Amino acid sequence: MVEAAFAEAIAHAAAGAALDIEQVSHAFDIDGAELPVLSEVSIAVEPGELVALLGPSGCGKSTLLRLVAGLDKPKTGTLREDEVRIRSPHPSRVVVFQDPTLFPWRTVWDNVALGLEAQGILKSQRHRVDAALDLVGLSDFRTAYPHQLSGGMAQRVALARALVNDPKILILDEPLGKLDSLTRITMQAELVSLWQRKGFTTLLVTHDAEEALVLANRVIVFSERPARVKADIRVDRPYPRHRGDPYLADLRRQILGLLGLDATW
Amino acid sequence: MSTYSLSDGLASGAPRTSHAPWLATWVQESGAGVAASAAWIAFGLSCLWWEDVGDWSRTHSLGIAAFVIAAIALFGTVGADYLGPAGRALRQRAPWLIALGAFLTLWEVATAKFAWLPLPFFPPPQSIIEVYTDDLPKLLDSVFASVKLQLGGYLIGATIGFLTGVSIGWSRAVGYWVHPVLRFIGPLPATAWLPIAFFTFPSSWSASTFLIALATGFPVTVLTWSGVASVSTAYYDVARTLGAKPSFLVLKVAIPAALPHVFVGLFMGLGASFAVLVVAEMIGVKAGLGWYLQWAQGWAAYANMYAALIVMSLLCSGAITLLFAIRDRLLVWQKGTVKW
């Protein structure tokens, strides 16, 4: 009975949603002056794709993610999830930020339960929290407080907190940026296997070309601010990928060239 | 002194202690207890040895009680290993027992026996004991009245302050109207309202409740507000993407995140409300420990004043301890992130 519920929780994965970003421009008001950050960005993401957004630091990638999440509204242009216009945040589009931003007053379990609690369905869906914790391998830490976790563990809890909602679009804002290189490599593999199992559409902002190529089946390269789409590169390579793959190395050289770093590589 | 002689002294001292290590351990573990016992025997003797200069009925019983405490201190610390946690606690407090015994001895001698300190302004310990035994009903009535007044006013003030603080921190419109009022009235000491309050309120009890609530409410409001205002927007972003409605953001994000600040406000409010309580009782209310103090002064009953002061400080520190216990329970997650 319990096992059946558990299996259902895993298998009941919502398939990914399509995401249409159409002619989106955005600007910040800083002391009355308008600072453009996104300039006519158009990207069509197929359901279940893992798209990496790569660009120079501060170019506006994270702003685009906030628009997709519905946390901010674009100045012009439209964003659609499965043909439905995005106007506000919704648990079908969940963000994992660069900082885990766990609530320090909640235990690991209560942090993961946050989404279900906010939607008022926690009472009947408690097994989903346990399943999500199992998924990231932190079942033994359910009663721990965030300050007792390492950086990698905290980020895994943040991932579980997102996955428990069965998102159709998972939005990752440099989620591995602050981890040490060993933890990073492990978590990259975990991300790929989660994505393959669950089938959600994934947007991954990163500043690491190698990470983008190991994880994504599409890499979008942005220009300097205001960000425009500079290149849209398909990565047709099976998983698991090898870092030393000459095909990927070649793509990496191309991408770094687009980012203006060809002289150093 | 050269370093040579210093190391020489150390070298010659070392074997001496190793000859009788059990003695050293015993002195270390039970020495303070034996000294505490001696201090309390001295106190007992000081009660019984000389004649009192005045007429106090409890001198003899006090002396006997001192001997009983001396016995408890001695057997409790020497036999601490057989007494479990109680023994350990007693051993830990033995140095304080020494200090207390010595102080009481000095006090007894300086007042009741040789009157080095002028009577009746400095009553001896036995006269304060006399107050507790002979004037107990009136003292208990006062304690009850004070606790009732304080508790009512504090709870009202803390509740209103908390709700106001959350509303100001959350809603810009509420902040626009309440902030200037708070700024204008808040810093005024609550006691300044006293004359007006006693005229405008139907009873002195309701007036005092209002004043205590006011004194509590201001710091609680300001700190709750600043706590809510300083919650990181990242927490709200996370909650919103997970489907949180505004009520959830207030109840489950803003308030828990602000709670450490709220408790600072509650502590400040408690301190401020004690001051108002005592002043209100001295001036208007015809009950309570403040009134008891005032009444005792009118009769030049100095022992009663000291007795009431001791009770008052026990109540105040008890209230603070209680608040600490509540905080430790609610903010258990803070352990390990901040130094307590």
Side-chain angles (χ1 to χ4, degrees):
Chain A
M1 176 65 202
V2 176
E3 257 174 279
F6 180 79
E8 188 224 24
I10 297 287
H12 191 68
L19 175 70
D20 281 308
I21 301 171
E22 253 179 47
Q23 295 288 312
V24 164
S25 297
H26 196 62
F28 290 134
D29 289 320
I30 293 174
D31 293 332
E34 200 164 80
L35 182 76
V37 280
L38 293 174
S39 166
E40 296 183 344
V41 174
S42 293
I43 305 168
V45 182
E46 302 286 320
E49 268 189 322
L50 200 168
V51 179
L53 309 179
L54 202 63
S57 162
C59 75
K61 301 165 296 204
S62 296
T63 308
L64 185 61
L65 288 199
R66 288 183 67 86
L67 298 181
V68 173
L71 287 168
D72 294 326
K73 288 190 183 69
K75 293 257 156 155
T76 61
T78 53
L79 297 107
R80 286 197 190 81
E81 175 192 5
D82 275 344
E83 306 302 317
V84 180
R85 192 154 173 186
I86 296 171
R87 292 171 195 279
S88 61
H90 190 274
S92 70
R93 286 168 271 118
V94 183
V95 191
V96 177
F97 294 95
Q98 183 174 13
D99 291 308
T101 45
L102 302 177
F103 291 6
W105 58 89
R106 283 174 169 245
T107 60
V108 165
W109 197 94
D110 287 332
N111 263 291
V112 174
L114 197 66
L116 301 181
E117 196 184 329
Q119 296 155 47
I121 52 172
L122 179 60
K123 271 207 180 119
S124 57
Q125 309 276 311
R126 297 177 69 87
H127 61 278
R128 281 167 68 181
V129 179
D130 298 323
L133 273 172
D134 271 344
L135 209 58
V136 297
L138 283 176
S139 299
D140 293 341
F141 288 87
R142 64 186 68 212
T143 54
Y145 281 101
H147 70 84
Q148 296 165 312
L149 305 176
S150 70
M153 282 154 75
Q155 200 54 279
R156 283 220 286 272
V157 174
L159 200 59
R161 179 176 65 183
L163 293 177
V164 78
N165 301 287
D166 279 335
K168 288 182 190 305
I169 301 179
L170 184 66
I171 303 164
L172 304 169
D173 190 358
E174 295 191 39
L176 312 181
K178 285 192 174 170
L179 303 180
D180 63 275
S181 51
L182 282 178
T183 315
R184 246 177 113 128
I185 291 171
T186 323
M187 296 243 340
Q188 283 170 354
E190 280 178 29
L191 268 181
V192 167
S193 80
L194 277 173
W195 166 66
Q196 285 180 319
R197 249 190 295 172
K198 292 263 187 180
F200 41 68
T201 308
T202 308
L203 283 189
L204 169 75
V205 157
T206 176
H207 54 250
D208 180 353
E210 188 184 274
E211 182 172 281
L213 288 168
V214 168
L215 295 181
N217 46 21
R218 211 172 136 193
V219 177
I220 291 172
V221 183
F222 285 101
S223 67
E224 297 273 342
R225 197 188 61 233
R228 264 172 290 105
V229 176
K230 214 170 182 180
D232 189 340
I233 301 163
R234 294 221 155 263
V235 189
D236 283 325
R237 267 332 220 202
Y239 297 92
R241 291 174 181 168
H242 296 284
R243 273 148 227 278
D245 186 340
Y247 175 82
L248 293 184
D250 188 46
L251 275 181
R252 181 164 172 230
R253 226 180 336 269
Q254 272 183 45
I255 288 170
L256 289 174
L258 285 167
L259 292 171
L261 292 169
D262 45 345
T264 47
W265 293 88
Chain B
M1 275 288 209
S2 66
T3 38
Y4 173 74
S5 63
L6 183 66
S7 58
D8 189 42
L10 279 173
S12 62
R16 208 178 300 147
T17 50
S18 69
H19 271 302
W22 61 270
L23 187 66
T25 337
W26 188 84
V27 167
Q28 201 182 1
E29 282 182 350
S30 306
V34 173
S37 179
W40 281 84
I41 288 171
F43 176 45
L45 285 176
S46 75
C47 287
L48 303 179
W49 194 266
W50 297 284
E51 279 299 308
D52 283 346
V53 296
D55 179 26
W56 294 293
S57 56
R58 306 283 170 197
T59 311
H60 189 74
S61 340
L62 187 60
I64 303 296
F67 289 138
V68 172
I69 293 174
I72 293 172
L74 184 65
F75 294 117
T77 49
V78 172
D81 297 337
Y82 306 98
L83 293 173
R88 268 200 303 282
L90 195 65
R91 209 171 243 182
Q92 209 182 3
R93 287 166 179 76
W96 262 107
L97 277 175
I98 305 175
L100 215 57
F103 171 73
L104 287 170
T105 310
L106 205 66
W107 181 8
E108 178 70 25
V109 172
T111 54
K113 303 306 177 184
F114 298 102
W116 295 328
L117 294 170
L119 288 165
F121 309 107
F122 295 93
Q126 52 263 48
S127 72
I128 289 172
I129 299 292
E130 218 175 303
V131 174
Y132 289 136
T133 54
D134 298 0
D135 205 19
L136 192 64
K138 194 189 252 170
L139 207 52
L140 280 182
D141 277 351
S142 304
V143 167
F144 183 69
S146 284
V147 169
K148 202 172 101 179
L149 188 57
Q150 166 71 23
L151 207 63
Y154 184 73
L155 289 181
I156 292 171
T159 310
I160 292 177
F162 176 74
L163 294 177
T164 317
V166 171
S167 334
I168 307 174
W170 190 254
S171 153
R172 200 161 289 194
V174 175
Y176 175 82
W177 289 106
V178 178
H179 182 207
V181 177
L182 205 64
R183 192 117 176 206
F184 185 64
I185 292 174
L188 198 64
T191 39
W193 290 91
L194 215 127
I196 296 177
F198 278 108
F199 274 119
T200 47
F201 277 80
S203 65
S204 59
W205 186 80
S206 56
S208 313
T209 304
F210 165 74
L211 292 176
I212 291 167
L214 196 66
T216 309
F218 177 60
V220 174
T221 305
V222 170
L223 275 134
T224 305
W225 164 34
S226 84
V228 170
S230 66
V231 177
S232 160
T233 52
Y235 290 150
Y236 295 127
D237 283 348
V238 165
R240 282 173 62 207
T241 60
L242 295 174
K245 292 170 203 53
S247 62
F248 187 90
L249 295 182
V250 176
L251 296 175
K252 301 281 182 154
V253 183
I255 289 177
L259 220 48
H261 286 256
V262 175
F263 268 95
V264 176
L266 287 173
F267 278 110
M268 288 170 64
L270 194 58
S273 66
F274 287 149
V276 176
L277 171 76
V278 174
V279 174
E281 285 179 344
M282 281 182 167
I283 292 182
V285 191
K286 293 277 172 282
L289 284 167
W291 167 82
Y292 188 94
L293 272 177
Q294 193 79 347
W295 168 85
Q297 193 206 21
W299 289 96
Y302 293 96
N304 295 55
M305 292 172 65
Y306 285 102
L309 270 181
I310 291 170
V311 172
M312 211 183 259
S313 77
L314 284 177
L315 284 178
C316 292
S317 72
I320 295 272
T321 309
L322 188 69
L323 194 55
F324 262 113
I326 295 172
R327 183 198 72 161
D328 291 0
R329 218 185 144 76
L330 279 178
L331 299 185
V332 66
W333 57 270
Q334 266 201 319
K335 258 185 189 162
T337 57
V338 293
K339 208 160 164 56
W340 287 52

